[in-house]
Amino acid sequence: ILVLHSPVLAITIATGSSEGTYFKIAQDIKQLAEKEGIPVEVVVTGGSFENINLLGAGKVDLAIMQLDVLRFVAEIMKKEAGVNMLQEAKVALNLYLEEIHIIAKNPAIRTFDQLQGKKVAVGPEKSGSALTAEVLLAGFGLQVDRVFDAPEDAIKKLDQGAIDALMFVGGAPVPAFQKLDKTFRFVSLPADSGLEQIYPKKKIVNSIYSWSDEVDTHAVPSVVMTRNRDDKDYVATMQKLMLLFLSQKEYLDANGHPKWKDSFVRSTQAN
């Protein structure tokens, strides 16, 4: 009863590029929430690193991010400032596994190790994609010429031959990649037992992108984060929002981004 009668606050949610999956997921959240009288402002950002900084500074209420970035930032903050970010921040919702997309046009580049010495776009600087790229490149011992481009810019450069490949972490289908033609191809990321401790094995099946064949890759868990706040109205609004996800899962599956269908959100139980 207290939840129902508490004032509803406006919620801000940090996402990523307007051409990325986080933005579409946030738009789905906004549409669902506003039907129930919860105003939501979707904030376009540079991605996971900026999102965690905005959340840490109290400039947004929710932030969508890669779990590997959260772990990385938490470790750095603990070492440098003695701050345990994980005590302040908490997972509001486990979302889904985000596929690691590696795309090339050159038929000679088919597997990840063939990126050695090539010019590769790894996502915007200080983005989650760029962090994941660093982990993968180090893990496979590869040296590449890095370019820090958002996916829509990287696609243009790849099409023009200005770069050899791009890497981007995003829940498939990533809007920026949906309209490519069959001159583009996925580069496979082979199974690696060390990597699997952080990044589970995943396939991008050929039904997701009309231009692609099935490819083996790995994936990054994504989450919606919030911060502990001693504010009854805020807590009540968050409770209402989280209950909405569970009660309206079928609506999200039918009307939202395809990633809702294989998200960790379940209609019958909380995570």
Side-chain angles (χ1 to χ4, degrees):
I1 292 170
L2 282 174
V3 171
L4 294 175
H5 292 285
S6 295
V8 172
L9 302 180
I11 297 295
T12 50
I13 179 166
T15 59
S17 159
S18 59
E19 286 294 312
T21 303
Y22 288 174
F23 182 79
K24 182 65 177 78
I25 291 290
Q27 292 287 356
D28 294 340
I29 292 171
K30 175 183 173 76
Q31 185 181 29
L32 186 66
E34 291 187 347
K35 281 173 64 178
E36 298 296 322
I38 304 172
V40 173
E41 180 190 354
V42 177
V43 181
V44 175
T45 72
S48 293
F49 274 99
E50 185 177 349
N51 293 357
I52 200 168
N53 287 331
L54 289 169
L55 187 69
K59 293 180 178 177
V60 295
D61 301 302
L62 295 171
I64 309 178
M65 66 185 69
Q66 295 173 205
L67 201 56
D68 59 344
V69 171
L70 178 65
R71 288 173 176 162
F72 176 80
V73 172
E75 284 299 313
I76 294 297
M77 288 182 71
K78 204 169 181 179
K79 285 176 185 171
E80 292 186 357
V83 176
N84 189 346
M85 180 70 190
L86 296 178
Q87 282 184 345
E88 288 290 312
K90 65 177 183 179
V91 175
L93 198 69
N94 287 298
L95 277 178
Y96 48 77
L97 292 175
E98 296 188 76
E99 290 83 356
I100 299 170
H101 295 68
I102 308 167
I103 302 174
K105 290 195 79 169
N106 184 345
I109 302 175
R110 293 188 173 274
T111 62
F112 191 64
D113 61 320
Q114 290 170 330
L115 295 180
Q116 174 67 27
K118 298 292 193 289
K119 195 167 190 175
V120 182
V122 295
E125 203 159 6
K126 296 186 178 177
S127 67
S129 290
L131 171 75
T132 303
E134 287 303 316
V135 174
L136 294 176
L137 292 166
F140 284 89
L142 299 182
Q143 299 293 325
V144 304
D145 182 5
R146 292 164 185 75
V147 179
F148 297 99
D149 281 324
E152 49 271 34
D153 296 324
I155 284 294
K156 289 174 189 169
K157 288 187 179 179
L158 185 57
D159 199 28
Q160 294 160 359
I163 60 173
D164 298 296
L166 70 84
M167 297 174 63
F168 186 74
V169 177
V174 173
F177 302 151
Q178 284 187 282
K179 294 179 182 176
L180 302 184
D181 60 39
K182 290 182 182 292
T183 63
F184 294 86
R185 57 173 43 81
F186 279 121
V187 176
S188 68
L189 185 57
D192 181 281
S193 56
L195 282 180
E196 284 172 45
Q197 296 172 25
I198 315 170
Y199 305 115
K201 282 193 298 185
K202 193 87 163 61
K203 287 183 186 291
I204 300 177
V205 297
N206 58 9
S207 60
I208 294 179
Y209 298 101
S210 61
W211 51 272
S212 78
D213 293 326
E214 183 174 292
V215 68
D216 291 313
T217 187
H218 289 254
V220 184
S222 63
V223 291
V224 179
M225 299 297 299
T226 185
R227 285 189 66 170
N228 291 316
R229 272 176 53 180
D230 189 19
D231 179 329
K232 284 192 294 185
D233 294 342
Y234 176 79
V235 171
T237 301
M238 283 297 160
Q239 285 177 342
K240 185 175 181 181
L241 194 58
M242 295 308 127
L243 287 170
L244 262 182
F245 290 127
L246 303 176
S247 64
Q248 298 296 315
K249 176 62 165 53
E250 289 181 7
Y251 173 85
L252 289 167
D253 287 353
N255 299 283
H257 187 279
K259 263 295 169 189
W260 286 111
K261 292 188 182 73
D262 63 329
S263 72
F264 300 122
V265 181
R266 296 287 177 265
S267 57
T268 54
Q269 61 187 47
N271 289 292

